[in-house]
Amino acid sequence: MTGQPGRTGRGGGQAGAGDLLALVRTGRATTRGALQQATGLSRATVGQRLDRLFRAGWLREGAGGPVDSPLGGRPSITLEFDDAHAVVLAADLDTRHARAAVLSLTGEVLAEHAGALAVEDGPDAVLGELGGWFAELLEKAGHRAAEVCGIGLAVPGPVDSGTGRVVQPPMMPGWDGYDIRGRLARAFTERTGAAPVPVLVDNDANLMAYGEQRTGYPDCSAFVLVKVSTGIGAGVVVDGGIFRGVDGGAGDIGHIRVGSEALCRCGSQGCLAAVASGGAVARRLAGTGVPAASGSDVRDLLAAGHPGAAALAREAGRQVGDVLATVVTLLNPGVLMIAGDLAGTSFVTGVRELLYQRALPRSTARLEVVTSRLGERAGLVGAGALVVEHLYAPARVEERLLALGV
């Protein structure tokens, strides 16, 4: 007996092994019978597709599920995505420091390292150093380099997702147009001896938003995260996917003009980042004799209860909130998350004051204004998730299975 055309197949065709894996991974169908029902494929065809996934080591059998028939019988065997067959490497670059980790395919951090790493040292040196960090982290986590299926990298600048290259980044001198993917892949191979693996690169705010939305707000169809650290950037997740614009420039709210004459690092005057970022607050504090050179210094002062830092952070929050009133009116998000060095009580209070004052009540009626749940790991989790979703997308699964000969 032949099966009907698969209802979840791409382009109207039959559902392939990748489609079945997606159904299992998302929990939409976790038994052979449920997969038959969801796809319209015959029992034999489902069995053939699943056999390829089992031979690749990507699926495993779990415990028996409930018996659906009132006549009783053996329980159905559930199917599970085997997240132990590979690991992901991820790194999150800031202007002066970085964080790297080994993650499971479900986003669990298995080993982690944070340290000083200045983007102004240039891409060759920075990415080479990350290769060394990855090698040490794999040893710490007890995993072989051959188990790595991909690398995700978050950077503090706009990224063309098609090429993985940053485009005119104001805070990354020497990185414009550089082949980040190729260099990081080589660094990984040089330090571990393993074959090159896919490397995905995206903006840090994008990946923070992706990580936070997937782990904390999976049902939110319009999610906005604003990172306020040395600069200011926003990540937007719509219907579960990152919204990047035509060439990666979406969310760059730090360079919206706000009427000031302050000179921004991008070369323009009056940018929001020039007056309300962590770097801007640090400069104002330094002007009063308080030792502060970056957003992380401001964060430390806020944690210590410094009154001058708190007052300036609240003022910065009001300036950002004024801009966010337009963002909220335009995108109508369900969640607005404030993250980064300034994401404390003083700053968020300032954001709320102007946001609710300037935005229409209709735009904020169902809006949650929250702070980060994942903290400094948000970018890592988002980078790891980006790699996993790329490698286990149905079309990519078919390509990888063919490459494995199964």
Side-chain angles (χ1 to χ4, degrees), residues 305-348:
H306 190 283
L312 290 177
R314 183 166 181 170
E315 181 181 341
R318 288 172 58 86
Q319 292 168 312
V320 172
D322 197 8
V323 170
L324 289 179
T326 300
V327 172
V328 166
T329 301
L330 178 65
L331 297 178
N332 189 210
V335 175
L336 171 62
M337 178 174 284
I338 310 299
D341 291 330
L342 297 194
T345 301
S346 299
F347 184 86
V348 174

Side-chain angles (χ1 to χ4, degrees), residues 13 19 46 48 69 102 104 117 137 140 164 190 222 239 250-251 269 343-344 353 362 366 389:
D19 298 297
V46 166
Q48 291 168 359
S69 171
V102 180
S104 73
L117 199 59
L137 284 168
K140 181 179 177 181
E190 291 164 1
D239 292 333
Q269 288 182 310
E353 287 175 357
R362 171 67 182 82
R366 300 173 59 187
E389 292 307 313

Side-chain angles (χ1 to χ4, degrees), residues 189-365:
T189 297
E190 291 164 1
R191 295 302 186 101
T192 66
V197 296
V199 176
L200 298 183
V201 185
D202 210 328
N203 170 261
D204 54 358
N206 282 350
L207 292 180
M208 290 173 69
Y210 195 50
E212 294 278 9
Q213 188 271 339
R214 287 176 58 84
T215 58
Y217 302 90
D219 297 327
C220 180
S221 61
F223 179 98
V224 176
L225 177 143
V226 178
K227 179 185 178 184
V228 187
S229 292
T230 300
I232 301 175
V236 180
V237 179
V238 177
D239 292 333
I242 299 172
F243 179 76
R244 299 182 176 89
V246 295
D247 63 1
D252 201 3
I253 65 170
H255 300 288
I256 291 175
R257 294 291 299 274
V258 293
S260 168
E261 297 302 315
L263 181 64
C264 182
R265 294 179 64 166
C266 73
S268 298
Q269 288 182 310
C271 293
L272 179 65
V275 297
S277 66
V281 173
R283 288 191 292 274
R284 293 185 65 182
L285 285 167
T288 65
V290 177
S294 66
S296 58
D297 292 334
V298 178
R299 178 193 61 205
D300 293 341
L301 289 167
L302 290 171
H306 190 283
L312 290 177
R314 183 166 181 170
E315 181 181 341
R318 288 172 58 86
Q319 292 168 312
V320 172
D322 197 8
V323 170
L324 289 179
T326 300
V327 172
V328 166
T329 301
L330 178 65
L331 297 178
N332 189 210
V335 175
L336 171 62
M337 178 174 284
I338 310 299
D341 291 330
L342 297 194
T345 301
S346 299
F347 184 86
V348 174
T349 297
V351 168
R352 287 176 175 273
E353 287 175 357
L354 262 290
L355 172 62
Y356 287 103
Q357 177 182 327
R358 299 292 170 83
L360 291 173
R362 171 67 182 82
S363 302
T364 58

Side-chain angles (χ1 to χ4, degrees), residues 35-318:
L35 289 170
Q36 286 179 245
Q37 185 175 11
T39 62
L41 296 174
S42 70
R43 179 177 180 179
T45 303
V46 166
Q48 291 168 359
R49 305 273 199 270
L50 292 178
D51 182 61
R52 298 177 68 199
L53 297 171
F54 278 116
R55 281 187 284 149
W58 298 352
L59 275 188
R60 65 187 174 207
E61 290 187 341
V67 178
D68 295 327
S69 171
L71 300 178
R74 292 191 303 173
S76 300
I77 298 298
T78 60
L79 303 171
E80 300 174 351
F81 178 61
D82 189 347
D83 64 336
H85 72 269
V87 294
V88 175
L89 296 174
D92 185 2
L93 289 182
D94 208 332
T95 53
R96 297 189 176 195
H97 64 276
R99 186 173 296 268
V102 180
L103 296 96
S104 73
L105 297 182
T106 54
E108 178 187 359
V109 176
L110 306 176
E112 185 177 11
H113 173 73
L117 199 59
V119 294
E120 63 185 18
D121 290 342
D124 187 65
V126 169
L127 298 174
E129 183 70 13
L130 281 181
W133 286 17
F134 285 150
E136 294 172 3
L137 284 168
L138 284 167
E139 183 176 353
K140 181 179 177 181
H143 284 275
R144 296 175 293 109
E147 296 176 73
V148 176
C149 64
I151 300 172
L153 177 65
V155 297
V159 177
D160 182 336
S161 61
T163 64
R165 299 172 187 248
V166 292
V167 182
Q168 299 178 1
M171 296 190 296
M172 302 177 70
W175 290 71
D176 185 22
Y178 185 86
D179 182 15
I180 297 175
R181 290 176 177 174
R183 177 66 182 104
L184 190 53
R186 291 195 303 274
F188 168 72
T189 297
E190 291 164 1
R191 295 302 186 101
T192 66
V197 296
V199 176
L200 298 183
V201 185
D202 210 328
N203 170 261
D204 54 358
N206 282 350
L207 292 180
M208 290 173 69
Y210 195 50
E212 294 278 9
Q213 188 271 339
R214 287 176 58 84
T215 58
Y217 302 90
D219 297 327
C220 180
S221 61
F223 179 98
V224 176
L225 177 143
V226 178
K227 179 185 178 184
V228 187
S229 292
T230 300
I232 301 175
V236 180
V237 179
V238 177
D239 292 333
I242 299 172
F243 179 76
R244 299 182 176 89
V246 295
D247 63 1
D252 201 3
I253 65 170
H255 300 288
I256 291 175
R257 294 291 299 274
V258 293
S260 168
E261 297 302 315
L263 181 64
C264 182
R265 294 179 64 166
C266 73
S268 298
Q269 288 182 310
C271 293
L272 179 65
V275 297
S277 66
V281 173
R283 288 191 292 274
R284 293 185 65 182
L285 285 167
T288 65
V290 177
S294 66
S296 58
D297 292 334
V298 178
R299 178 193 61 205
D300 293 341
L301 289 167
L302 290 171
H306 190 283
L312 290 177
R314 183 166 181 170
E315 181 181 341
R318 288 172 58 86

